[in-house]
Amino acid sequence: MQLKPINQQVVSVVGASSGIGRETALQFARRGAKVVVSARSEPKLNSLVDEIRASGGEATAIVADVEAFDQVKAIADRTVEVYGRLDTWVHCPAIAVFATFDNTTPEEFQRVVNINLMGQVYGAMAALPHLKREGRGALIHISSIEGRRSFPYQSAYSAAKHGIEGFVEALRVELQHEKVPISVTSVKPAVINTPFWNNARTKLGVKPAGIPPYYDPKLVADAILYVAEHPTRDFLVGDAARALDALQRLSPELVDSLLLLIGFRLQRSSEPKSEDERNNFYEPVPNDTRVEGDFSHLVIPSISDWLSKNVLFK
């Protein structure tokens, strides 16, 4: 399966207003790709397009909510309308509510599934006809290590990420059966230092936190650009993701014990926050266009990512 060099690609990045999506769009543009960016917030998208164009890149924005299939389809259709084709689809949006399962309402659980799982499904459905028409391309779905191992306080988020793994596996085999050369990749980051932790809804009484270590969002963007050129089934981002994946395969009960030991305490920061305070659960957070979050002091490098791209896959 052959994918185009990035500087020859037309790329749609969904969920590009901040965090991983924003950094990914910026990196694609720096490498010469034509980029279509989408999210719920028009001002934040406009700031991204301005940043890309100021650096000499080419970008177009479209406001869309991934909960609505027609809006997701409009992203793919607009990409082809403006640039004539679609080569790579990158789907990033995710929301979260941090709460125990029995303190999560049916409506909250459903909304997380709608955005984090059905949004990804809609993205694949919208992009696939255009990729098939081109005869090649890449579907890149941003999942999580929680697609392999669920965490406490995140039952809805983990369920949605497990769902992503289910549908992309089926889709991948169907495309192989049809002999359609479209790469389908699940990117599974470990804990990443983005504004996700600031913007999540919380019922813990405090701002939620990730279980350290954290990794730089640039590491995830680097992985996305890598799989956009190199067909890859799964790409785990961060040494901790690979270690946890191996441990889960070896002994889920051991991971249970580990999460009982650290999983509850470390997901609670010391910063008070009520469930009514600012979050992006129903509406985007205005003006927050940051790529990085508040945990830069806990960010570490990852050796295995470099090995995966430069040694293990060669």
Side-chain angles (χ1 to χ4, degrees):
M1 188 185 300
Q2 189 79 23
L3 297 174
K4 294 178 183 177
I6 284 173
N7 62 6
Q8 297 176 21
Q9 289 193 19
V10 175
V11 181
S12 184
V13 181
V14 187
S17 59
S18 65
I20 291 167
R22 190 179 187 96
E23 178 62 24
T24 298
L26 290 167
Q27 285 202 28
F28 269 116
R30 291 188 199 112
R31 291 271 300 274
K34 297 178 175 65
V35 183
V36 173
V37 294
S38 63
R40 293 179 293 176
S41 170
E42 186 172 14
K44 293 199 284 189
L45 285 177
N46 289 341
S47 74
L48 173 58
V49 169
D50 289 345
E51 186 175 352
I52 289 172
R53 290 175 177 171
S55 301
E58 193 168 348
T60 299
I62 178 168
V63 177
D65 187 334
V66 298
E67 194 171 16
F69 174 71
D70 288 348
Q71 294 186 39
V72 179
K73 184 176 182 297
I75 302 168
D77 292 346
R78 179 66 174 160
T79 303
V80 175
E81 178 186 334
V82 174
Y83 296 115
R85 67 180 192 278
L86 171 64
D87 298 305
T88 296
W89 180 275
V90 183
H91 202 102
C92 302
I95 61 170
V97 54
F98 280 78
T100 57
F101 175 75
D102 61 1
N103 199 28
T104 304
T105 68
E107 180 193 25
E108 288 167 336
F109 203 105
Q110 181 69 64
R111 180 157 177 81
V112 172
V113 170
N114 286 348
I115 300 299
N116 296 11
L117 173 55
M118 294 309 300
Q120 297 260 4
V121 170
Y122 293 161
M125 288 178 171
L128 200 55
H130 298 294
L131 296 176
K132 282 186 170 183
R133 188 164 53 249
E134 278 301 300
R136 63 175 169 176
L139 282 170
I140 303 173
H141 293 272
I142 309 309
S143 179
S144 168
I145 188 56
E146 291 188 61
R148 292 273 177 87
R149 171 68 216 202
S150 300
F151 288 178
Y153 293 147
Q154 298 190 57
S155 56
Y157 183 90
S158 294
K161 294 301 185 180
H162 274 73
I164 293 170
E165 302 308 315
F167 95 82
V168 299
E169 283 188 350
L171 172 59
R172 186 183 295 115
V173 175
E174 290 170 2
L175 292 171
Q176 291 170 353
H177 177 71
E178 295 175 27
K179 296 183 169 52
V180 178
I182 295 172
S183 174
V184 181
T185 303
S186 170
V187 176
K188 301 177 181 62
V191 173
I192 308 298
N193 179 38
T194 71
F196 173 83
W197 313 102
N198 300 68
N199 295 335
R201 190 172 195 179
T202 178
K203 296 185 175 183
L204 306 180
V206 294
K207 184 176 84 175
I211 301 172
Y214 290 77
Y215 296 94
D216 194 307
K218 293 181 177 63
L219 203 63
V220 187
D222 289 345
I224 292 168
L225 267 71
Y226 177 82
V227 302
E229 287 186 312
H230 304 86
T232 306
R233 180 189 182 94
D234 300 285
F235 198 107
L236 280 76
V237 179
D239 295 337
R242 293 181 177 87
L244 182 59
D245 181 52
L247 200 57
Q248 174 71 10
R249 293 172 189 272
L250 178 67
S251 173
E253 293 81 4
L254 184 57
V255 182
D256 290 347
S257 299
L258 180 64
L259 290 173
L260 281 168
L261 184 66
I262 65 172
F264 292 87
R265 174 174 51 87
L266 293 182
Q267 289 190 91
R268 304 170 65 98
S269 76
S270 59
E271 181 180 327
K273 184 176 181 180
S274 75
E275 65 180 277
D276 298 322
E277 286 188 55
R278 190 183 80 164
N279 62 73
N280 69 354
F281 200 76
Y282 291 108
E283 300 291 339
V285 174
N287 305 318
D288 191 351
T289 60
R290 295 177 299 159
V291 168
E292 297 181 358
D294 295 341
F295 298 97
S296 297
H297 60 293
L298 297 174
V299 169
I300 65 170
S302 176
I303 297 171
S304 58
D305 286 69
W306 184 90
L307 290 172
S308 294
K309 289 181 281 191
N310 294 279
V311 178
L312 301 182
F313 291 162
K314 298 303 181 187

